[in-house]
């Protein structure tokens, strides 16, 4: 099946009991057994739930993977991955990544004895310099949040293989519509399904997708043992959202291009971060490993002053000032005080994240209205 057909059909099937074409919400905590241990594949909903099973199958199919696992949030999925490690193990991650990932790495797992190195991953030399015999995981986020750097997944996979480490790719910004990291050598793909995959800003959830059977079993054990699993209502909502993923992503990309080009020519805008520009430092990699360039854009105003950025954010009428991204509606945010506030200011500046940076999640509205909102807000 081609991608658009997969979003609607792959991994899901009509309900065998009633023929319902949409996956039912199995709102149950437990399941009756014929005899002790003799059941129909379901014992307790923390471990398995039929609604969640179909969601996991759908996400796995979209990522060209074999096994999918759903979690109560993207951070619960991240937590599960790091629990594969032991004290003394080391992780190499990009220095420009989601603040929540940085927080759980440094505030939760570093005190437990796992060491994290944050490097600019557009240069694989910097990654190789941090590889030791203790390196067990390489964590890639591409495009990065919020500076939209693009990391070469195939090159990162080669480094991980040499080191005997697992390669994890956070595919939240791209979704499998734009890239499929498992096809490029990744071992684990992680998603915040809250964002583009759900697409309607009405459910919080995460997911992992893998190919390897043994790795899937280890992750499934942790998923069940730690209990960070989603309820069936949220699984239903994400399944509903996935069915229009290809249509929404096409519009996000079209609108993103128009907004990026408008911002770039605006006299009050100093810099626009968007991988679709030919002079973007990682454009060649983006063009090779991505189907299009997405609807996430960041920019800095002339003068690079935080107060000017705040004034613009307060003037928006269509772009809603809110956490998150990837919904049908356009959102704007101030990473330094919102999504990336947990990263120390000196670390943000070292990575190139200015205190005046504005991040846009360009929605699927009529782009002329979005550009008019930018015009009136920036002045």
């Amino acid at each position: 099946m081609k991608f658009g057909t997969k979003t609607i059909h792959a991994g899901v099937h009509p309900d065998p009991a009633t023929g319902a074409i949409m996956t039912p919400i199995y709102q149950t905590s437990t399941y009756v057994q014929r005899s002790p241990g003799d059941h129909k594949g379901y014992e307790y909903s923390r471990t398995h739930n039929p609604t969640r099973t179909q969601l996991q199958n759908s996400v796995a199919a979209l990522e060209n993977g074999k096994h999918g696992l759903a979690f109560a949030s993207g951070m619960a999925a991240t937590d599960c991955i790091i629990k594969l490690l032991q004290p003394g193990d080391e992780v190499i991650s990009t220095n420009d990544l989601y603040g929540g990932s940085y927080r759980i790495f440094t505030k939760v797992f570093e005190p437990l004895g796992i060491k994290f190195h944050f490097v600019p991953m557009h240069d694989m030399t910097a990654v190789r310099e941090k590889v030791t015999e203790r390196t067990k995981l390489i964590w890639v986020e591409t495009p990065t949040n919020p500076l939209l750097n693009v990391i070469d997944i195939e090159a990162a996979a080669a480094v991980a293989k040499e080191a005997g480490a697992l390669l994890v790719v956070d595919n939240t910004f791209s979704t499998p519509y734009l890239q499929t990291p498992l096809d490029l050598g990744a071992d684990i793909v992680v998603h915040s399904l809250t964002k583009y995959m759900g697409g309607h800003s009405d459910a919080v959830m995460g997911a992992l997708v893998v190919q390897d059977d043994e790795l899937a079993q280890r992750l499934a054990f942790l998923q069940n043992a730690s209990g960070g699993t989603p309820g069936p209502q949220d699984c239903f909502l994400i399944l509903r959202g996935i069915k229009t993923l290809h249509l929404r992503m096409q519009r996000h990309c079209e609108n993103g291009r128009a907004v990026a080009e408008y911002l770039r020519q605006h006299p009050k805008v100093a810099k626009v971060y968007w991988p679709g520009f030919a002079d973007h430092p990682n454009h060649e990699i983006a063009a090779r490993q991505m189907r299009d360039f997405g609807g996430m854009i960041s920019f800095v105003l002339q003068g690079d002053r935080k107060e000017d950025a705040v004034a613009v954010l307060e003037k928006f009428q269509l772009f809603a000032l809110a956490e998150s991204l990837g919904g049908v509606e356009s959102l704007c945010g101030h990473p330094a005080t919102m999504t990336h506030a947990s990263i120390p200011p000196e670390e943000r500046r070292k990575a190139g994240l200015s205190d005046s940076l504005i991040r846009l999640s360009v929605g699927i509205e009529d782009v002329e209205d979005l550009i008019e909102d930018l015009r009136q807000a920036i002045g």
Side-chain angles (χ1 to χ4, degrees):
M1 285 185 273
K2 295 188 181 299
F3 189 83
T5 308
K6 287 170 73 172
T7 63
I8 297 168
H9 295 286
V12 298
H13 53 75
D15 178 48
T18 66
I21 195 165
M22 299 301 294
T23 303
I25 301 170
Y26 284 89
Q27 195 70 53
T28 184
S29 62
T30 192
Y31 308 83
V32 173
Q33 303 185 22
R34 292 176 291 262
S35 180
D38 180 11
H39 52 76
K40 298 179 180 180
Y42 296 94
E43 302 168 84
Y44 189 62
S45 276
R46 186 189 67 244
T47 310
H48 297 293
N49 177 282
T51 315
R52 190 171 92 222
T53 296
Q54 293 219 38
L55 172 63
Q56 293 177 155
N57 292 343
S58 175
V59 175
L62 294 179
E63 283 288 2
N64 295 334
K66 189 175 179 182
H67 305 279
L69 300 98
F71 294 82
S73 68
M75 294 315 304
T78 298
D79 175 82
C80 184
I81 295 171
I82 305 302
K83 283 176 178 173
L84 293 170
L85 306 180
Q86 300 293 327
D89 290 346
E90 297 186 3
V91 178
I92 303 172
S93 176
T94 179
N95 66 338
D96 167 24
L97 83 166
Y98 170 52
S101 300
Y102 181 91
R103 179 177 57 227
I104 196 171
F105 291 168
T106 59
K107 302 299 184 183
V108 177
F109 286 107
E110 256 190 355
L112 299 179
I114 298 170
K115 186 172 181 59
F116 294 84
H117 303 279
F118 300 95
V119 302
M121 281 193 170
H122 59 271
D123 178 10
M124 280 299 140
T125 302
V127 179
R128 287 191 175 91
E129 288 175 352
K130 292 295 183 182
V131 172
T132 72
E133 61 182 12
R134 294 181 177 271
T135 302
K136 303 300 180 185
L137 200 71
I138 296 178
W139 188 282
V140 167
E141 183 182 285
T142 182
T144 61
N145 181 3
L147 295 177
L148 285 303
N149 287 309
V150 178
I151 297 166
D152 189 330
I153 296 172
E154 286 185 309
V159 174
K161 188 173 182 180
E162 291 171 13
L166 293 172
L167 176 65
V168 178
V169 176
D170 185 334
N171 207 26
T172 298
F173 268 29
S174 292
T175 81
Y177 176 85
L178 296 181
Q179 66 187 16
T180 45
L182 294 177
D183 295 336
L184 299 173
D187 297 291
I188 305 174
V189 174
V190 59
H191 278 283
S192 173
L193 298 179
T194 311
K195 313 305 193 297
Y196 286 109
M197 296 286 273
H200 291 77
S201 302
D202 55 9
V204 174
M205 198 179 302
L208 304 178
V209 181
V210 301
Q211 292 281 22
D212 183 77
D213 294 343
E214 190 272 335
L215 179 58
Q217 289 175 2
R218 293 169 63 196
L219 290 167
F221 171 83
L222 292 167
Q223 178 197 39
N224 181 51
S226 296
T229 50
Q233 172 74 26
D234 285 348
C235 291
F236 174 88
L237 290 172
I238 300 295
L239 274 168
R240 184 275 320 267
I242 284 174
K243 291 185 184 297
T244 58
L245 176 64
H246 56 303
L247 301 175
R248 291 184 286 104
M249 287 304 296
Q250 181 179 355
R251 184 64 170 261
H252 284 300
C253 292
E254 292 170 356
N255 284 359
R257 179 179 294 277
V259 167
E261 290 173 350
Y262 171 78
L263 288 171
R264 197 171 210 198
Q265 57 81 37
H266 198 293
K268 290 189 177 182
V269 174
K271 187 170 184 179
V272 182
Y273 298 87
W274 183 65
F277 291 133
D279 59 354
H280 183 285
N282 317 124
H283 174 74
E284 184 181 339
I285 297 169
R288 185 175 74 243
Q289 75 183 21
M290 297 172 68
R291 181 177 180 178
D292 207 327
F293 304 106
M296 295 302 300
I297 299 166
S298 294
F299 69 98
V300 177
L301 297 168
Q302 296 285 359
D304 196 17
R305 301 194 318 157
K306 178 180 177 181
E307 53 267 37
D308 291 340
V310 171
V312 169
L313 289 163
E314 291 176 347
K315 289 178 185 175
F316 278 124
Q317 295 174 1
L318 284 179
F319 283 89
L321 179 59
E323 299 268 2
S324 199
L325 59 101
V328 293
E329 67 288 316
S330 293
L331 300 179
C332 62
H334 184 242
T337 58
M338 296 170 71
T339 54
H340 291 66
S342 59
I343 300 177
E346 61 275 12
E347 293 299 321
R348 291 200 304 264
R349 286 191 286 271
K350 192 186 303 181
L353 200 168
S354 163
D355 283 349
S356 65
L357 187 82
I358 294 172
R359 191 190 75 179
L360 302 179
S361 172
V362 181
I364 65 172
E365 302 95 337
D366 286 308
V367 74
E368 295 84 359
D369 292 328
L370 297 179
I371 289 175
E372 173 59 23
D373 196 29
L374 288 162
R375 185 203 62 75
Q376 67 82 23
I378 298 172

